[in-house]
Amino acid sequence: MSKNKVDILGVHVDSLTMDEAVKEIQVFIEGKKTVLVATANAEMIMRATYDHELKTILNEAALVVPDGAGTVWAAHHLGHLMPERVAGYDLAQELMREAPRRGDRLFFFGAAPGIAEKAKKKAEKLYPGIEIVGIRNGFFSAKDEPEILHEIQEAAPDILLVALGVPKQEKWLAAHLHELSVPVSMGVGGTFDVMAGIMKRAPRWMQKAKLEWLFRGALQPKRAGRLMALPRFVFKVMAYKKSRQRKGTRL
Ligand code: UDP
């Protein structure tokens, strides 16, 4: 584990600022590597505690940014520095903002039919000159996969944003990363839904008060059950700290 990684319930999360995350990703693009970037919120980390495939993917990813107040809280509780929250939505926007100047090309894969198109239009309005070289909705069956892979390969983006939800997007990417040979691929959850205007982000004051999770839970009843992941995460992190202290393991 590199020195900038923080172990949260066995998931190695990078401790870095938004600016640093953007710069690292740009270095990956320039290096023409083929890497996976993940955005770890409390829910994803909780899932990784019992989903070993997800945990391995995260621990092998080139970058795992601290998405969400829960992740930052956990790092601090475990005695580590974690300068700020790097939300996946915001990170995707920063990469798009920089894309026209740098000439980075993007592909939007995921969300319901019609949503990625709307997100593309929004990106073109917000970031004039941006090149979205392909879009594809995220509802497909196994027989469509070769065609999807071919579409992405043909479009040859520098950045592939994948919105299939957690953990499907991470697992899909891990399985296909090397066939795709796209420099940077990142799972972005509900980002296209927000850009298309069918899902709202919490107001700024709620984000600042670290209450975005509550807003999302209240807005999407199907998420209400998932809200319990946060208190469970808090208890689990507290127990993790105690057990590591008991064993004398460095946190
Ligand atoms: N989605 C998709 N294909 C699927 C399942 C989900 O494209 O088979 C999309 C869904 O339409 C939404 C996104 O994946 O745009 C998941 O968003 P959510 O906010 O639920 O993400 P999570 O919080 O799970 O990362």
Side-chain angles (χ1 to χ4, degrees):
M1 196 165 76
S2 88
K3 69 175 181 357
N4 292 328
K5 295 260 186 191
V6 170
D7 176 342
I8 303 175
L9 305 182
V11 174
H12 305 159
V13 181
D14 286 272
S15 171
L16 80 185
T17 63
M18 174 63 81
D19 281 354
E20 288 164 345
V22 170
K23 289 206 179 81
E24 277 213 34
I25 291 174
Q26 293 172 342
V27 169
F28 295 145
I29 296 172
E30 282 145 27
K32 298 239 177 283
K33 290 189 175 174
T34 301
V35 302
L36 180 65
V37 175
T39 70
N41 60 15
E43 221 182 315
M44 188 193 266
I45 296 174
M46 275 302 271
R47 188 179 177 104
T49 61
Y50 60 86
D51 181 338
H52 292 285
E53 185 189 349
L54 178 63
K55 184 169 163 181
T56 304
I57 292 170
L58 295 178
N59 288 345
E60 287 176 357
L63 193 64
V64 180
V65 300
D67 182 347
T71 307
V72 175
W73 168 82
H76 291 168
H77 184 74
L78 294 167
H80 299 285
L81 291 173
M82 182 73 84
E84 63 183 354
R85 166 182 183 216
V86 180
Y89 178 86
D90 296 329
L91 178 57
Q93 301 305 311
E94 288 308 313
L95 294 172
M96 287 188 240
R97 195 186 318 283
E98 295 265 300
R101 180 182 65 78
R102 291 175 34 88
D104 294 337
R105 296 144 45 90
L106 289 101
F107 194 110
F108 289 180
F109 171 35
I115 298 298
E117 281 89 337
K118 284 197 180 138
K120 175 177 186 266
K121 286 210 177 85
K122 179 77 182 214
E124 286 165 349
K125 200 165 144 203
L126 288 174
Y127 315 113
I130 193 166
E131 273 188 89
I132 317 272
V133 293
I135 45 170
R136 180 70 164 76
N137 76 67
F139 290 85
F140 58 93
S141 60
K143 69 169 175 31
D144 304 320
E145 289 204 27
E147 185 201 312
I148 296 173
L149 292 168
H150 184 70
E151 262 180 56
I152 300 172
Q153 282 159 344
E154 283 284 292
D158 300 293
I159 303 171
L160 170 62
L161 301 183
V162 182
L164 304 175
V166 177
K168 192 171 175 184
Q169 59 200 20
E170 286 73 24
K171 291 183 181 179
W172 191 88
L173 275 172
H176 300 294
L177 205 60
H178 293 284
E179 293 164 76
L180 288 168
S181 57
V182 173
V184 172
S185 297
M186 176 169 133
V188 292
T191 292
F192 302 152
D193 293 344
V194 175
M195 290 181 77
I198 64 155
M199 199 171 84
K200 280 205 171 68
R201 268 198 99 189
R204 275 261 168 239
W205 71 266
M206 272 186 112
Q207 289 184 40
K208 283 208 180 107
K210 305 185 173 29
L211 290 174
E212 187 157 23
W213 56 276
L214 184 62
F215 179 86
R216 296 186 82 188
L219 210 70
Q220 288 177 282
K222 75 170 172 76
R223 274 183 183 270
R226 288 159 65 176
L227 274 182
M228 280 312 288
L230 199 63
R232 276 199 216 106
F233 175 75
V234 169
F235 287 121
K236 219 167 170 137
V237 170
M238 286 175 162
Y240 191 66
K241 181 174 178 178
K242 284 210 181 89
S243 93
R244 301 205 78 175
Q245 280 170 335
R246 251 197 318 271
K247 287 184 205 147
T249 319
R250 208 173 64 85
L251 283 165

